[in-house]
C-alpha cells in the first residue's frame, strides 16, 4: 500500500506562511496598540476596554514646556551625532574597501569594541576623564554626542559595509575615472547613490537607538541636560495615561520619520 504524501502543496505552504507571519505581526503590535489605547483612555480598570476616550493626556503632554524642551534636546543630540557619524564613517568605510581592503578584518573587530564594555562602566570612566582637565565637558551635551558617536559606529559601519559588498566598487570607480571624474567626485555621484539605502537604514537604526537611550544620558548629563528618556524617567510617578501618551508620541514620531525617509529614498 503506497504511503500517504504528507507534504503540503505550494498554495498550502503560502497560506501557512501568511498565517504565521500574521500571528507574529499581531504579537508584536499588541503591546503598542495597548499602550496607544491606554494613552487615549479616561480610565481603564478591570474592564476589557477603557471606560472612555479622551485627548487630554496628549494635550497636557504637548503643552508642557519641559517636555518640549526635552524633546528638542533629544532631537539635537541625535541629529548632530548622526551628521558627525555620516561625515566620518562614510568616507572611512569607503577608504577601507577601496584603498585598504586588508583592514576589513581588523575593522570588524574594532567596531564591536564599544559593546565589550558595559555602559555603566564606560560612563564612570568618561566622567573621571572629562570632569576636569583641558576638556571639562562632563555634564554637557558634547560628552553625550561623543559617546553616542561610538555607539553609532557599529550600526553604520556594518550597514554600509554590507551595501558596499553588494556593488562593484572598483569597476564603478574605474569607469568614473575613465570618464574624467576624480575619486572624490566619483564617490559622491556614483558610490553614494548606490549605497543610499544602506546609509538610510543605518541612520534610521542609529536614530531609533539613540532617541531611546537612557543609561549614558542619565549618568553623563542627568537633569543638567534633560533629554526625552530622562524626562520620561522623572515623570514615572505621574499618571500612567500621561506616560503612555509620551511613549505613544515617541513611537508615532519614529514611524513618521521612517515613512518620510522611505519616501525620500525612492
Amino acid at each position: 500500500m503506497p504511503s500517504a504524501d504528507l507534504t503540503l502543496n505550494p498554495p498550502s505552504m503560502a497560506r501557512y506562511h501568511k498565517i504565521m507571519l500574521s500571528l507574529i505581526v499581531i504579537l508584536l503590535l499588541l503591546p503598542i496598540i495597548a499602550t496607544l489605547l491606554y494613552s487615549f483612555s479616561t480610565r481603564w480598570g478591570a474592564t476589557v476596554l477603557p471606560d472612555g476616550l479622551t485627548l487630554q493626556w496628549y494635550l497636557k503632554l504637548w503643552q508642557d514646556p519641559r517636555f518640549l524642551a526635552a524633546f528638542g534636546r533629544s532631537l539635537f543630540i541625535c541629529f548632530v551625532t548622526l551628521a558627525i557619524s555620516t561625515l566620518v564613517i562614510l568616507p572611512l568605510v569607503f577608504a577601507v574597501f577601496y584603498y585598504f581592503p586588508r583592514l576589513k578584518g581588523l575593522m570588524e573587530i574594532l567596531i564591536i569594541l564599544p559593546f565589550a564594555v558595559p555602559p555603566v562602566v564606560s560612563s564612570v570612566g568618561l566622567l573621571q576623564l572629562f570632569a576636569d582637565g583641558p576638556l571639562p565637558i562632563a555634564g554637557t551635551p558634547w560628552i553625550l554626542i561623543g559617546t553616542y558617536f561610538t555607539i553609532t559606529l557599529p550600526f553604520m559601519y556594518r550597514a554600509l559595509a554590507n551595501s558596499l559588498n553588494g556593488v562593484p566598487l572598483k569597476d564603478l570607480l574605474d569607469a568614473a575615472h575613465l570618464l574624467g571624474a576624480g575619486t572624490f567626485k566619483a564617490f559622491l555621484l556614483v558610490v553614494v547613490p548606490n549605497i543610499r539605502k544602506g546609509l538610510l537604514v543605518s541612520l534610521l537604526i542609529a536614530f531609533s537607538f539613540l532617541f531611546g537611550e537612557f543609561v549614558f544620558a542619565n549618568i553623563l548629563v542627568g537633569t543638567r541636560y534633560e533629554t526625552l528618556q530622562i524626562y520620561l524617567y522623572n515623570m514615572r510617578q505621574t499618571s500612567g495615561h500621561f506616560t503612555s501618551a509620551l511613549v505613544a508620541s515617541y513611537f508615532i514620531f519614529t514611524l513618521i520619520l521612517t515613512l518620510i525617509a522611505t519616501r525620500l529614498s525612492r
Side-chain angles (χ1 to χ4, degrees), residues 31-62:
I32 300 177
I33 295 175
T35 302
L36 185 64
L37 187 59
Y38 192 73
S39 66
F40 284 107
S41 62
T42 55
R43 190 170 63 88
W44 196 353
T47 57
V48 177
L49 295 176
D51 298 335
L53 300 178
T54 180
L55 290 174
Q56 64 172 330
W57 308 115
Y58 286 92
L59 295 176
K60 180 180 178 181
L61 175 67
W62 287 95

Side-chain angles (χ1 to χ4, degrees), residues 99-159:
Y99 293 108
F100 311 104
R102 294 184 179 181
L103 296 179
K104 291 181 182 179
L106 178 62
M107 290 300 300
E108 294 290 341
I109 298 176
L110 292 178
I111 62 173
I112 64 174
L113 288 181
F115 297 108
V117 182
V120 175
V121 177
S122 58
S123 297
V124 173
L126 289 170
L127 285 176
Q128 293 179 349
L129 183 63
F130 295 105
D132 50 15
L135 201 61
I137 58 175
T140 68
W142 308 115
I143 189 173
L144 204 56
I145 291 173
T147 304
Y148 282 176
F149 170 78
T150 63
I151 297 177
T152 60
L153 176 61
F155 297 113
M156 297 192 65
Y157 182 89
R158 186 69 267 158

Side-chain angles (χ1 to χ4, degrees), residues 94 98-99 169-187 190:
F94 170 74
Y98 186 65
Y99 293 108
L169 178 62
K170 186 173 179 57
D171 295 338
L172 289 175
L173 288 175
D174 289 343
H177 291 157
L178 288 175
L179 294 174
T183 302
F184 180 74
K185 187 175 182 180
F187 168 71
V190 179

Side-chain angles (χ1 to χ4, degrees), residues 51-255:
D51 298 335
L53 300 178
T54 180
L55 290 174
Q56 64 172 330
W57 308 115
Y58 286 92
L59 295 176
K60 180 180 178 181
L61 175 67
W62 287 95
Q63 290 176 356
D64 184 5
R66 183 179 170 189
F67 163 74
L68 296 177
F71 189 81
R73 294 188 192 103
S74 293
L75 290 181
F76 171 76
I77 292 290
C78 291
F79 287 151
V80 172
T81 302
L82 293 179
I84 296 175
S85 300
T86 303
L87 293 176
V88 174
I89 298 174
L90 185 57
L92 171 65
V93 179
F94 170 74
V96 170
F97 273 72
Y98 186 65
Y99 293 108
F100 311 104
R102 294 184 179 181
L103 296 179
K104 291 181 182 179
L106 178 62
M107 290 300 300
E108 294 290 341
I109 298 176
L110 292 178
I111 62 173
I112 64 174
L113 288 181
F115 297 108
V117 182
V120 175
V121 177
S122 58
S123 297
V124 173
L126 289 170
L127 285 176
Q128 293 179 349
L129 183 63
F130 295 105
D132 50 15
L135 201 61
I137 58 175
T140 68
W142 308 115
I143 189 173
L144 204 56
I145 291 173
T147 304
Y148 282 176
F149 170 78
T150 63
I151 297 177
T152 60
L153 176 61
F155 297 113
M156 297 192 65
Y157 182 89
R158 186 69 267 158
L160 294 173
N162 291 337
S163 297
L164 286 175
N165 282 328
V167 299
L169 178 62
K170 186 173 179 57
D171 295 338
L172 289 175
L173 288 175
D174 289 343
H177 291 157
L178 288 175
L179 294 174
T183 302
F184 180 74
K185 187 175 182 180
F187 168 71
L188 289 180
L189 300 181
V190 179
V191 177
V192 173
N194 277 278
I195 62 173
R196 66 184 185 279
K197 289 187 178 180
L199 177 61
L200 176 63
V201 169
S202 67
L203 290 175
L204 288 176
I205 294 176
F207 177 83
S208 300
F209 184 85
L210 297 181
F211 203 60
E213 201 282 325
F214 171 74
V215 177
F216 283 113
N218 187 44
I219 297 178
L220 295 178
V221 295
T223 56
R224 288 169 291 183
Y225 194 81
E226 190 178 49
T227 60
L228 186 62
Q229 294 301 319
I230 298 177
Y231 174 82
L232 175 60
Y233 177 77
N234 292 332
M235 300 297 290
R236 68 190 186 280
Q237 300 297 337
T238 60
S239 171
H241 301 280
F242 181 81
T243 54
S244 295
L246 197 159
V247 174
S249 299
Y250 163 76
F251 280 119
I252 293 172
F253 176 78
T254 305
L255 177 61

